[in-house]
Structure formats: C-alpha cells, structure tokens
Amino acid sequence: MSWKLTLPCTRAEAETIDAAEDFGIDPAPVLMTTETVEDDTETWRLDAYFEAEPDDAAIAAIAALVPSAAGTPPQVEALGDEDWVTMSQAGLEPLHVGRFFVHTAAYADAVPAGARAFLIDAGRAFGTGHHETTSGCLAMLDRMADRDFRNVIDLGTGTGLLAFAARELWPTARVIATDIDPVAIDVTAVNATLNAVDRVELVVADGALSDDITAAAPYDLLIANILAGPLMSMAPEVAAIAAAHATIVLAGLLETQRADVVAAYAACGCSLEDVDRRGDWSVLRLTAGAERFVPTAPIDPKGRDGWALDL
C-alpha cells in the first residue's frame, strides 16, 4: 500500500522545492507540484507520494517545504495497491520542444514520429523539462543545432536532460554533466541508460572549480540552469572555463533578476545575445569575450553562495 500527503503551497514555493532533498527516508518520496487555479500564484498544491505511511518526522519534513501552509493540517491518504509512481506522474503532460519530446512512462506510447524522445520520470532530481527554465533551455539549444560545438558542459544537470539534448544535437562533442548532489548524478546515469545516451561524462562537483572540470576546459558551450544568486556568484568561475567567444546559456532566473545576472557576467567579459522569456522566468544566451577571462583574484568557493539543482 502506498500513501499520499497533500499540502497547499504557492507558486514561488513550488518552483523552489528541491526534489532531491534528503529526507532520511528510503525510498525517498516523489514530490509533485500542481497549479490548482490557472494563473493564480498563490493557489498551488504539493503532493508527496510514499511507499509507506509517513511518520511525524516525514510529515514535518514535507511541511517545512511550504511555509505558507503553516497551520493547515496535511491530508494523508492511503492509495491502495495502485502503481503510485505512475499515478503521481499522471499530471505531467508530455512536452514537445523543437525536435525533443520529453515524457514520463505514462506517455511512452505517445511519441510523435521523428521526435527524439527522452523518458524522464519525476523522482529524486529536478529537470523533467516541465519547468519554464528547463523547457526554455531545450528550445534555446534546439535553435542552435546548426552550430558546431566541440566541448560542452552542463552545470547542475539534475536529471541529465539538457546534457542529453546536447549529446543529441552535437554527437561528436565532448559532453560533461555535473551536479553538486551525488543523487542527481546517480539519477542522470540511470536516465542515460534508459534513453540510450552514451558518452556523457558525469562529475559530482560544487560549481565549476573541480579539477575534473577545469582540466577539460575551455568549453565552447556552457549550460547552467540553477538559480539567480548562484549564477551571479559563480560568474567568474564559469567565465574562466569558457573559451573565447563561447556560448553560455543561463537559466533559473526570474525576469526581474535578469539585469543583475547579465551585469555579473558582463563584468567577466560576457555579452547578452538572446533572451527567451517564459512567464516570469528568462533563459539567457550570452557570448564570452574575445579573450579568455582570467579572474583577478583566486576564487574561494566558501565565499560564494551555495547553488541548487536543475529545475
């Protein structure tokens, strides 16, 4: 028997929930957020699916994700013997972006002819493609298919989806996918096997300072779908591993944060070339300077913000 815990939440909370949160529960719950009233930022819902009845500690851990629900008793219900993972994903409609079709197992038979399908089930890492930032990145990459990239890195890969898209678009390129969370790298490895994606190198790393990352630099395409604060604080280290005239795709930022993010990268010699705005979110394409950026001082990872997983 499986169980579902439901709490109300806001859109802002839904967009910052970390699906790879370590709750100390094995197996970890599957988290799903849903807009319950169209275009109402305050009326969303969080559903957490468990394989066993959640105890008080598990309920408290989920409730901590949605402060706006303080004082609201969570709804906890038994689901019987249904396939709870498939049921939890039933609300995730497939996404068709350019040549890519991103779907859960529930839509495995709905792949359009000629599309490159990626089976990405919701689970312990973000990046199903359904958030505006991830779908915007897919669209941005798809529009660059006629370019010739040789060395690609996806910083904060989450489920691996954007790295997989890069492998599809530039099959001869070296592609590296990194994440601060080992769980995300494990999920990416599983997803790579499920989707017959090969030759994507996986690295557990905090930011871009890992020896494995710097040794493979410079990169001519850099993708970072994280959050605005980390994007800004990481600007020098991202720019430092970029080749001259490299393309940098940044996402995870609100439109209201765009100017600050652009300014952080402009200070490192990068210029804004394109913006794909999706709702309140923006995906940026920048070009690195004509000469490789060299930081004027050593970068101390302890002095910059922590960063989040791919949305």
Side-chain angles (χ1 to χ4, degrees):
M1 179 177 291
S2 54
W3 295 75
K4 180 174 75 169
L5 184 157
T6 300
L7 279 167
C9 67
T10 66
R11 174 176 173 169
E13 290 169 340
E15 289 169 339
T16 57
I17 286 173
D18 180 357
E21 184 84 24
D22 183 2
F23 298 105
I25 303 167
D26 187 20
V30 170
L31 305 181
M32 299 291 298
T33 56
T34 307
E35 181 184 45
T36 56
V37 178
E38 186 175 0
D39 296 329
D40 186 341
T41 60
E42 300 303 311
T43 311
W44 283 59
R45 185 182 76 243
L46 169 64
D47 294 315
Y49 293 84
F50 296 82
E51 288 194 356
E53 183 176 7
D55 57 20
D56 290 344
I59 293 173
I62 299 299
L65 299 174
V66 288
S68 67
T72 302
Q75 299 178 20
V76 180
E77 59 180 308
L79 299 177
D81 297 326
E82 296 93 338
D83 181 344
W84 67 285
V85 172
T86 299
M87 184 170 58
S88 73
Q89 295 164 354
L92 282 181
E93 296 290 333
L95 190 74
H96 200 174
V97 179
R99 72 202 66 209
F100 301 117
F101 185 78
V102 185
H103 66 95
T104 62
Y107 294 93
D109 296 330
V111 179
R116 176 46 163 117
F118 291 118
L119 169 61
I120 306 289
D121 280 334
R124 295 183 298 159
F126 264 16
T128 62
H130 291 78
H131 192 280
E132 289 95 331
T133 60
T134 312
S135 60
C137 283
L138 280 176
M140 187 76 75
L141 295 177
D142 187 67
R143 290 196 295 272
M144 297 191 294
D146 60 348
R147 300 193 183 192
D148 182 22
F149 294 116
R150 302 298 180 88
N151 200 18
V152 180
I153 188 165
D154 177 18
L155 296 160
T157 197
T159 61
L161 176 58
L162 298 179
F164 301 165
R167 162 60 60 231
E168 178 71 15
L169 292 167
W170 301 287
T172 63
R174 180 179 188 178
V175 178
I176 298 177
T178 83
D179 206 287
I180 190 173
D181 190 344
V183 170
I185 292 301
D186 290 343
V187 169
T188 296
V190 171
N191 285 339
T193 299
L194 287 174
N195 289 283
V197 177
D198 61 1
R199 295 181 298 112
V200 172
E201 302 173 42
L202 305 180
V203 178
V204 177
D206 179 2
L209 298 177
S210 161
D211 289 344
D212 290 332
I213 294 174
T214 57
Y219 302 91
D220 53 5
L221 174 60
L222 303 91
I223 309 161
N225 180 17
I226 43 181
L227 291 173
L231 286 175
M232 289 186 285
S233 59
M234 290 171 57
E237 64 197 80
V238 172
I241 62 170
H245 302 293
T247 296
I248 302 173
V249 176
L250 304 178
L253 60 136
L254 295 166
E255 171 63 17
T256 55
Q257 300 166 323
R258 185 216 298 187
D260 290 336
V261 173
V262 170
Y265 283 80
C268 301
C270 304
S271 56
L272 180 64
E273 301 291 343
D274 190 17
V275 179
D276 185 337
R277 184 171 178 182
R278 299 189 173 224
D280 295 332
W281 300 84
S282 290
V283 178
L284 312 180
R285 176 169 60 82
L286 302 96
T287 298
E291 297 182 2
R292 282 193 66 187
F293 174 74
V294 178
T296 56
I299 300 170
D300 180 6
K302 295 180 181 179
R304 60 164 166 75
D305 298 335
W307 54 314
L309 297 174
D310 185 354
L311 293 170

